[in-house]
Amino acid sequence: MNNSINPKEVVGYILFKRVQIINANSISSPITYGFPAITGFLGAFHALSRKMSTNEAVNPYSLGGVLLACHDCQPQVYRSSKYSNYTFNQTRNPIKKDGKTASIIEEGKCHLTMSFVVEVLGDEAPSSEEIEILIQLCKHLIQQQRIAGGSVHGLDSSLPVSFIEEEEIDTLAPLLMPAFVLMDAQDTFAEIIEEQQSENPEKTALDALLDVCTLHHITEPRFKNGEPTGEYTWTTTSVKSGRSSGSGWLVPIPIGYQGISDVFEPELMQHARNPEYPSQYVEAIYSLGRWIYPQRLTDEFENAFWRYSHDAKRSLYLVTQDNP
Amino acid sequence: MSNLQTASVLAFERNLDISDAFFWQTSSRDEKGNATPVTINEKSVRGTISNRLKNAITNDPAKLDAEIEKANLQRVDAAALNENCDTLIAKWSCKVLPFTGQPNVCNNQNYQKALMGIVQEYLAEYGVSELAKRYATNIANARWLWRNRVGAERIDVVVTCNNESLEFDALKINLKGFDSSDNNITQLAKLIEQGLTGEKFIILYVEAKAHMGFGQEVYPSQELILDTGKAKSKVLYEINGKAGMHSQKVSNAIRTIDTWYPDYQDNGFPIAIEPYGAVTTLGSAFRQPKQKMDFYSLFDAWVLKGEKPEEEQQHFVMGVLIRGGVFGASGKE
């Protein structure tokens, strides 16, 4: 799919191990929160790749898809009791010019420890000197980089950045442990939608998405010798339960944007961030993702990389795990 | 130059990227120097009624007694050293990123060119040594410990960068001026300068050991919670069970270098680099737009009209850019 844009092949992988990110944005879209959006990570590595391309020694190479593995995520939230909702902790901003308190701009933040595996694209495998330069450069650049709005404040002390040969990708699993890898779960989503619609044809995909986060408490009267005893059995179910073990923890995620207007020529849209490029109004699109233990991924490591994909005909700007 | 307009989208990333500070504790009697995290504990206390009461109540002894008898129950978070620990250890790191004047986002290319022009001119004329020296002083004097600095008997600050360490006796370093000729401060300033000019990648690991006394209370950051309910009136910041101080609070102390605001002669203390010279604890802004000494007045005159401010105000403007922020013209005001 990306072949027309990027004719280069995957020639290896760079592993960024245990990257500590503080104060990352954890509101990923209008209806999902708790973890940054995938685009927040892809954007960071795209920026890193562009900075890399200014270095002559490694400029035949660029970075492609990114595998996301999360070791630890601490949303900065509070709830006053076990039964109340969580709220995001806020920051107080400097006072305004008249000495009055500035209004609070609500945001949600989290601290993360993540490992990233990033595809290296090129025409042929890099030489050992080039690998050395790549590693040093990446180690340096990632620390100067914002990721998902947060700052990088450290890497693994023993193996911060390393290069993995293309054919050695199967050796990744132990290096990523313990962590959970974010995978696309669109097939499971389709199944859930189908199940829901077979029960009630009026249900939409959004109902199915919401149902993934819902717990249903169901009561059933108990019977003794065919007579109701007046006691009830409570069972709690969710659409997640009963799916085959190892399918991972399902979560709603935003996977990109759908254009909702025409594409405007450069300079036409007022106050656009980058007036030199065409712009378009978009809305977030949702799907299901699932967190999987790396061990269970050995057969599909190649499929665990998130990449940009663009469908101009349907104005879709997506992140997918489809193989190019 | 005349029809140049401020970009509607204009933002700078911070160039001193500071982490949260984590609190540990140890005992000066422990030779091995074992450190354990400072934790946050919840306290439930019965308070006294001590707020200002209405005259109708204070003038009537019976009413006053009735008021005073009410239980003023409070639940708050508190952090203190253990009874066998007398030393607070606070650790954080500071990345110094290259400062070139390149905005993070800017949607007006002509404006960006003019802006980068003035920054390059400033860098060529003065460099960043003045700013670096001031930042270094604020790291060394442990201003960033805020209230924890006040009660401490002795504070040792150690800054480690590339396996080299610099030590400071924090309480000996002046909080009100930046004219210290301490060798270590000069060296630390040199490191910050190298980072800001992009000569090297600099990450400083800062650690302070403050002798507070056995079992003394310490002061982590307080969380700003909008919907507290009635459960707790004060929530302190913790990260994985460790007490901590928000990065914003640490960096506000580090950039408390502005001695160039109009009232400095009278006040005699530096304030944090802020576009309006805002000091939250005093509830006032020391750089009022009326005096044309606030960031936007100085900056706009400099970029749009080429009116170069005095040297000291140039330092201030660059300080704001290093602090980072969103400076675009919304067109609303």
Side-chain angles (χ1 to χ4, degrees):
Chain A
M1 179 187 327
N2 283 336
N3 280 355
S4 56
I5 309 160
N6 207 332
K8 292 174 178 174
E9 306 245 312
V10 176
V11 293
Y13 303 93
I14 292 176
L15 165 68
F16 296 89
K17 205 175 165 202
R18 296 192 80 89
V19 183
Q20 287 167 29
I21 306 167
I22 62 167
N23 287 333
N25 175 16
S26 71
I27 299 179
S28 51
S29 74
I31 64 166
T32 57
Y33 73 94
F35 191 78
I38 301 162
T39 44
F41 297 106
L42 287 197
F45 286 100
H46 181 68
L48 207 147
S49 175
R50 288 180 67 156
K51 286 182 197 162
M52 227 171 78
S53 68
T54 58
N55 185 310
E56 274 177 26
V58 292
N59 92 31
Y61 305 101
S62 60
L63 300 179
V66 181
L67 177 149
L68 306 171
C70 180
H71 301 275
D72 183 36
C73 175
Q74 291 184 54
Q76 301 296 295
V77 292
Y78 176 77
R79 61 174 169 178
S80 52
S81 76
K82 262 207 272 184
Y83 309 105
S84 49
N85 294 330
Y86 281 107
T87 54
F88 279 114
N89 299 351
Q90 302 299 323
T91 52
R92 192 173 165 205
N93 297 313
I95 47 177
K96 296 195 284 193
K97 55 190 166 188
D98 50 5
K100 285 193 187 132
T101 314
S103 47
I104 289 167
I105 301 161
E106 289 193 61
E107 4 179 31
K109 288 177 175 164
C110 63
H111 300 334
L112 295 164
T113 308
M114 300 275 298
S115 285
F116 303 103
V117 187
V118 186
E119 290 173 340
V120 179
L121 307 174
D123 298 326
E124 50 187 36
S127 65
S128 54
E129 294 105 69
E130 282 174 327
I131 290 176
E132 192 49 38
I133 298 172
L134 263 179
I135 290 176
Q136 288 309 323
L137 196 65
C138 284
K139 192 173 142 192
H140 184 98
L141 287 176
I142 189 132
Q143 296 195 68
Q144 299 194 337
Q145 181 80 47
R146 290 297 191 78
I147 298 179
S151 321
V152 179
H153 267 279
L155 290 150
D156 187 68
S157 50
S158 57
L159 186 76
V161 177
S162 52
F163 186 84
I164 291 160
E165 306 277 343
E166 199 204 339
E167 55 275 7
E168 283 173 9
I169 187 163
D170 294 339
T171 62
L172 261 180
L175 292 173
L176 290 179
M177 293 232 259
F180 291 95
V181 175
L182 184 59
M183 295 294 291
D184 189 4
Q186 270 186 51
D187 40 349
T188 316
F189 192 28
E191 262 171 47
I192 293 175
I193 296 172
E194 202 172 299
E195 278 169 31
Q196 301 250 314
Q197 285 177 340
S198 68
E199 281 169 28
N200 179 353
E202 283 180 9
K203 283 208 169 179
T204 62
L206 181 63
D207 291 320
L209 189 74
L210 293 174
D211 221 27
V212 173
C213 328
T214 314
L215 290 176
H216 298 279
H217 302 284
I218 296 163
T219 56
E220 270 172 43
R222 280 195 213 152
F223 290 94
K224 205 175 180 184
N225 307 329
E227 292 288 309
T229 58
E231 289 172 348
Y232 292 88
T233 314
W234 285 83
T235 45
T236 305
T237 63
S238 108
V239 289
K240 288 186 197 182
S241 54
R243 311 221 155 255
S244 66
S245 71
S247 67
W249 179 251
L250 293 171
V251 283
I253 51 168
I255 53 159
Y257 304 96
Q258 162 85 65
I260 53 167
S261 73
D262 295 335
V263 179
F264 298 106
E265 291 301 308
E267 309 279 349
L268 271 185
M269 200 189 279
Q270 210 181 4
H271 303 317
R273 227 173 198 229
N274 293 102
E276 67 266 41
Y277 302 116
S279 15
Q280 184 174 20
Y281 288 103
V282 293
E283 250 180 36
I285 321 182
Y286 305 93
S287 176
L288 276 192
R290 54 178 195 219
W291 292 103
I292 294 192
Y293 216 51
Q295 256 178 337
R296 299 196 182 270
L297 273 180
T298 36
D299 300 336
E300 38 176 346
F301 253 122
E302 279 90 351
N303 299 330
F305 292 89
W306 292 93
R307 300 179 193 85
Y308 292 118
S309 92
H310 175 216
D311 181 344
K313 238 184 237 158
R314 295 189 289 165
S315 354
L316 284 172
Y317 305 86
L318 294 179
V319 284
T320 64
Q321 288 185 332
D322 300 336
N323 256 324
Chain B
M1 204 96 184
S2 56
N3 55 3
L4 205 55
Q5 273 196 336
T6 308
S8 59
V9 183
L10 175 67
F12 278 82
E13 273 182 12
R14 53 179 170 266
N15 290 109
L16 296 179
D17 204 346
I18 287 168
S19 76
D20 288 328
F22 295 92
F23 282 11
W24 297 75
Q25 57 187 332
T26 186
S27 168
S28 56
R29 291 183 199 161
D30 181 355
E31 279 160 17
K32 284 185 198 151
N34 292 326
T36 49
V38 175
T39 55
I40 288 184
N41 306 307
E42 204 175 272
K43 267 188 193 174
S44 306
V45 292
R46 184 190 196 276
T48 54
I49 302 288
S50 52
N51 57 310
R52 216 179 269 272
L53 297 169
K54 283 182 192 128
N55 279 344
I57 297 174
T58 47
N59 293 341
D60 182 345
K63 270 190 188 165
L64 184 63
D65 282 349
E67 195 66 25
I68 299 270
E69 265 172 34
K70 283 184 189 164
N72 180 12
L73 302 180
Q74 298 172 352
R75 246 166 76 197
V76 291
D77 271 350
L81 302 180
N82 292 340
E83 56 181 358
N84 54 0
C85 286
D86 64 346
T87 307
L88 168 72
I89 303 176
K91 292 182 193 181
W92 51 279
S93 61
C94 172
K95 261 185 319 189
V96 188
L97 302 173
F99 173 62
T100 55
Q102 166 117 36
N104 172 26
V105 283
C106 175
N107 65 352
N108 184 337
Q109 292 308 303
N110 293 333
Y111 181 83
Q112 177 164 342
K113 237 181 247 162
L115 168 58
M116 292 198 51
I118 67 157
V119 175
Q120 291 307 330
E121 202 181 316
Y122 169 85
L123 290 176
E125 197 168 349
Y126 304 107
V128 282
S129 55
E130 178 63 31
L131 292 168
K133 188 174 116 194
R134 291 177 177 232
Y135 294 132
T137 312
N138 276 336
I139 293 175
N141 66 18
R143 183 197 295 278
W144 48 272
L145 280 175
W146 292 98
R147 195 173 168 189
N148 300 300
R149 189 184 189 276
V150 179
E153 187 186 341
R154 185 190 156 76
I155 302 174
D156 296 311
V157 173
V158 180
V159 180
T160 314
C161 180
N162 298 329
N163 301 324
E164 273 178 67
S165 306
L166 299 165
E167 287 182 34
F168 304 94
D169 182 351
L171 295 183
K172 293 245 170 71
I173 301 166
N174 188 359
L175 273 184
K176 294 198 166 166
F178 299 97
D179 41 15
S180 165
S181 53
D182 188 300
N183 255 342
N184 281 359
I185 293 184
T186 318
Q187 270 194 44
L188 180 56
K190 190 87 209 150
L191 289 173
I192 295 175
E193 205 181 327
Q194 284 175 338
L196 284 175
T197 53
E199 198 180 313
K200 268 189 195 170
F201 174 65
I202 297 286
I203 180 161
L204 306 169
Y205 294 96
V206 183
E207 180 180 328
K209 282 188 179 161
H211 292 251
M212 311 287 288
F214 292 97
Q216 280 293 317
E217 184 166 7
V218 294
Y219 305 98
S221 286
Q222 185 175 349
E223 293 279 23
L224 173 59
I225 286 157
L226 296 178
D227 178 26
T228 50
K230 281 183 183 157
K232 217 193 269 191
S233 53
K234 180 154 86 174
V235 180
L236 297 178
Y237 183 37
E238 58 183 329
I239 315 114
N240 275 339
K242 270 195 283 295
M245 202 183 255
H246 292 142
S247 54
Q248 291 92 335
K249 186 161 181 162
V250 177
S251 52
N252 185 283
I254 302 308
R255 62 169 190 270
T256 302
I257 60 167
D258 184 1
T259 56
W260 309 301
Y261 63 99
D263 286 343
Y264 173 67
Q265 294 306 333
D266 301 337
N267 294 337
F269 55 79
I271 61 171
I273 291 273
E274 287 290 335
Y276 295 118
V279 179
T280 308
T281 47
L282 299 176
S284 57
F286 286 97
R287 284 174 175 273
Q288 298 281 342
K290 227 188 271 170
Q291 296 157 298
K292 297 279 172 218
M293 289 296 263
D294 67 307
F295 168 73
Y296 297 103
S297 307
L298 293 165
F299 187 61
D300 287 351
W302 197 0
V303 181
L304 300 177
K305 296 180 199 144
E307 289 168 14
K308 211 172 184 181
E310 287 166 35
E311 179 190 340
E312 295 181 332
Q313 302 312 325
Q314 292 189 25
H315 292 320
F316 164 71
V317 170
M318 293 301 149
V320 177
L321 297 184
I322 288 173
R323 161 195 182 266
V326 180
F327 305 123
S330 72
K332 261 195 248 163
E333 273 179 303

